[in-house]
Amino acid sequence: MVILNSVDELLEHIKEVQLDVIDLSNQSLLSMSSYIEKNNLEIDEDISTALQYQDIITQQLNATIEAMESMKKSIHRFNHAFESDENLANESLTKLQEKLTLTLQDAKEKKNRFSGKLVEDNTDTDEIEFF
Amino acid sequence: MPLVIFVDDSETALASTRMVTNSMPIEVKQYTEATIALNEIKAGMTPDLIITDLNMPVMNGFEFLQGLREVPATKRTPCLMLTTETKAELKQQGKALGLTGWIVKPFNPAQLKQAITRVLRLPA
């Protein structure tokens, strides 16, 4: 289906942009941390937190990349079913919708999981917990 | 000096921990892959404390912990999880695997220092 092929291409493009952003933010933070280490600069809590944001950015973007890959797979399956038998289109569309809903739920759950203390719901979480 | 190993697939996360530990009286080794750290432990490395991330490709923090507990030398080595995950079920899973503690990212440098000092019983 032509429209789904366009969505697929768009997802691929967004995925590539996000991978570039991960790479750039990683390089930028590594340069800064290398400068701090070389010059023996002491960092306070704010700077430490800022440096750690990169890890969270990477995990968040990777989670959305996984969601896009899952969407692309579902679209490919639908297209394959549609091409082999157009009469199955309605059934395949329902399946596609179900898959996309699951992908969205999973992506939202990961957004919360990978935010650490940055999410409001998690602010009560003890930073360090000993067992 | 006690040996502390850090395992995290994020190089910037490792750099952040390095900035905290460089003034401490400890030897630090860092790994971006748990499998490499585990192989070195199997080959004879005996860390006094292991601090690992949970979500990592190839081998995650729990799989790493399981592997550590199968090696006689690290069967009881203290191990802290340093992660963005905050779910109680995951903490319980870690506790059942013999985890010493759970640290949520982004961590406070002073508190990470205190945690290492406490586990290794270093002079405060």
Side-chain angles (χ1 to χ4, degrees):
Chain A
M1 205 180 259
V2 179
I3 187 163
L4 288 180
N5 287 338
S6 303
V7 172
D8 184 38
E9 280 172 30
L10 186 61
L11 288 173
E12 186 61 33
H13 171 72
I14 297 170
K15 200 179 103 179
E16 280 168 20
V17 171
Q18 293 200 166
L19 285 170
D20 287 348
V21 170
I22 288 173
D23 195 36
L24 274 177
S25 72
N26 192 38
Q27 281 178 35
S28 134
L29 263 292
L30 278 177
S31 299
M32 274 192 261
S33 58
S34 161
Y35 176 82
I36 292 169
E37 283 183 275
K38 268 185 204 160
N39 292 284
N40 280 326
L41 301 176
E42 244 185 66
I43 55 163
D44 61 12
E45 189 183 345
D46 286 345
I47 300 295
S48 171
T49 304
L51 289 171
Q52 292 177 68
Y53 282 163
Q54 200 280 329
D55 189 23
I56 291 171
I57 290 168
T58 300
Q59 288 197 57
Q60 291 285 357
L61 290 180
N62 274 329
T64 59
I65 287 170
E66 275 176 34
M68 281 185 275
E69 280 168 352
S70 172
M71 282 174 74
K72 281 164 67 64
K73 253 187 214 166
S74 302
I75 288 171
H76 291 169
R77 269 195 216 115
F78 170 80
N79 270 346
H80 182 71
F82 183 72
E83 277 161 21
S84 22
D85 186 352
E86 288 193 21
N87 294 325
L88 290 175
N90 275 343
E91 196 187 327
S92 300
L93 258 181
T94 309
K95 277 187 189 165
L96 176 63
Q97 194 185 0
E98 283 169 4
K99 287 273 181 198
L100 294 182
T101 305
L102 286 175
T103 300
L104 178 63
Q105 280 171 357
D106 186 44
K108 283 186 173 174
E109 197 234 350
K110 280 184 179 162
K111 179 179 186 294
N112 193 39
R113 274 178 53 198
F114 296 158
S115 295
K117 289 183 297 167
L118 302 181
V119 171
E120 214 170 279
D121 292 352
N122 294 340
T123 48
D124 288 338
T125 307
D126 284 339
E127 182 166 310
I128 300 183
E129 192 179 331
F130 284 99
F131 301 135
Chain B
M1 277 203 288
L3 172 63
V4 180
I5 72 163
F6 283 87
V7 182
D8 199 311
D9 59 315
S10 160
E11 287 183 48
T12 52
L14 289 177
S16 303
T17 56
R18 218 161 42 232
M19 283 178 226
V20 173
T21 56
N22 59 10
S23 59
M24 297 184 78
I26 56 173
E27 185 189 347
V28 172
K29 284 192 178 180
Q30 299 193 316
Y31 300 85
T32 51
E33 273 186 41
T35 46
I36 298 173
L38 189 57
N39 284 339
E40 289 198 18
I41 285 166
K42 283 178 179 170
M45 181 172 68
T46 52
D48 298 285
L49 169 63
I50 296 152
I51 302 180
T52 180
D53 184 19
L54 177 57
N55 295 308
M56 297 182 285
V58 189
M59 180 183 272
N60 71 34
F62 285 150
E63 291 163 341
F64 178 47
L65 189 55
Q66 272 172 327
L68 289 170
R69 296 316 185 212
E70 284 165 14
V71 179
T74 50
K75 214 174 172 64
R76 287 185 182 79
T77 304
C79 189
L80 297 169
M81 194 67 80
L82 180 56
T83 175
T84 54
E85 297 275 8
T86 54
K87 272 193 172 179
E89 306 94 90
L90 292 173
K91 290 182 185 177
Q92 278 307 314
Q93 200 180 335
K95 198 176 167 182
L97 288 168
L99 205 60
T100 313
W102 196 277
I103 305 171
V104 180
K105 290 177 182 175
F107 61 81
N108 171 313
Q111 288 184 333
L112 178 63
K113 242 182 208 181
Q114 277 171 15
I116 296 171
T117 301
R118 176 177 159 173
V119 175
L120 294 175
R121 294 180 185 157
L122 299 171

